[in-house]
Amino acid sequence: MRILIVEDDAVSRRMLHGLLTKQGYQVTMASNGREAWDHLQREDFSLVITDWIMPEIDGLRLCRLIRGRQQTKKYTYIILITVMSGKTSYLEGIESGADDFLTKPYDPDVLRARLRVAERLLDLRQEVQRLQGLLPICQYCKKIRDDGNLWTQIEAYISDHSEADFTHGICPECEEIHIQPQLEEMERERLQRIEHQQQVESLVP
């Protein structure tokens, strides 16, 4: 996972870089929000860890800039680092686009836990986006070609790739096309049986 650290304090920036690289992440550093935004214009990052209070472009504005480009870029998870606390600050950060928070001074174990949560959520989001993409589907039987180049029922495919359960029903259009004619045919047969029975009974003295 590629991570962008945005921190104007050089000591904190180096500490974060050391912690993340030891865990195997590919890390890029920026000393302020404007430098971070320049990086984001050129490269894709799965996660941004940004300080709240910074010169030029602060953490909240950077969050809004990132969220403003999400229609054309893949989703970027944002962890906002702040010395501020309280519900007002939390809501302000969430409304700006942050996904999670770390309070200074942060605990390295808490940081690792936050990163694991971020990875799980990004993996789930990627899976949903893949399911929402174009899927090869047979125009006759409506089976889907899966990752192993095998054709399978759409219910089986979605069940294998998500936690969705299925219940079946009949839409109004199919009811009119398929069910209603069957009901009408059953009614005709019933009336014919009645008519036949009446004819038989009329012949009996």
Side-chain angles (χ1 to χ4, degrees), residues 13-73:
R13 191 167 62 245
R14 286 195 296 271
M15 286 179 59
L16 261 178
H17 182 272
L19 286 170
L20 296 174
T21 52
K22 283 181 181 178
Q23 295 179 54
Y25 295 110
Q26 186 178 351
V27 182
T28 299
M29 295 189 294
S31 59
N32 57 62
R34 185 170 300 281
E35 184 181 343
W37 184 238
D38 289 340
H39 279 297
L40 288 160
Q41 300 309 297
R42 300 189 302 268
E43 307 170 71
D44 284 328
F45 295 91
S46 299
L47 190 148
V48 172
I49 302 176
T50 178
D51 193 13
W52 183 314
I53 301 173
M54 294 184 297
E56 298 193 54
I57 295 178
D58 66 11
L60 293 187
R61 187 181 172 201
L62 181 61
C63 287
R64 290 192 289 269
L65 287 170
I66 292 172
R67 293 294 172 247
R69 68 169 197 157
Q70 294 292 244
Q71 291 183 349
T72 57
K73 297 284 186 177

Side-chain angles (χ1 to χ4, degrees), residues 135-144 151:
L135 295 172
I137 184 169
C138 176
Q139 62 180 328
Y140 294 104
C141 68
K142 306 306 178 186
K143 288 182 179 179
I144 286 178
W151 292 90

Side-chain angles (χ1 to χ4, degrees), residues 128-189:
V128 169
Q129 289 175 335
R130 190 169 68 86
L131 285 173
Q132 289 175 337
L134 291 176
L135 295 172
I137 184 169
C138 176
Q139 62 180 328
Y140 294 104
C141 68
K142 306 306 178 186
K143 288 182 179 179
I144 286 178
R145 190 177 67 215
D146 63 17
D147 302 332
N149 205 31
L150 300 174
W151 292 90
T152 184
Q153 294 291 341
I154 187 169
E155 293 96 335
Y157 181 88
I158 294 178
S159 294
D160 288 343
H161 290 76
S162 72
E163 296 182 359
D165 292 322
F166 290 90
T167 181
H168 292 84
I170 301 172
C171 71
E173 184 178 350
C174 287
E175 181 179 2
E176 182 179 351
I177 295 173
H178 300 288
I179 302 303
Q180 193 60 40
Q182 294 180 37
L183 293 175
E184 291 173 356
E185 178 63 26
M186 291 171 62
E187 179 64 16
R188 282 194 297 270
E189 291 177 355

Side-chain angles (χ1 to χ4, degrees), residues 73-136:
K73 297 284 186 177
K74 67 180 183 179
Y75 192 81
T76 302
Y77 195 93
I78 303 173
I79 297 178
L80 194 60
I81 302 176
T82 176
V83 295
M84 294 181 284
S85 61
K87 184 170 69 174
T88 301
S89 298
Y90 178 83
L91 292 175
E92 189 177 3
I94 290 294
E95 288 173 358
S96 296
D99 295 289
D100 203 350
F101 293 84
L102 275 177
T103 303
K104 289 183 177 181
Y106 54 84
D107 186 324
D109 290 332
V110 173
L111 172 61
R112 282 191 286 270
R114 294 285 200 273
L115 292 174
R116 285 196 292 271
V117 170
E119 286 183 287
R120 286 199 295 268
L121 291 175
L122 287 170
D123 287 344
L124 286 171
R125 189 177 185 92
Q126 185 177 8
E127 183 68 15
V128 169
Q129 289 175 335
R130 190 169 68 86
L131 285 173
Q132 289 175 337
L134 291 176
L135 295 172

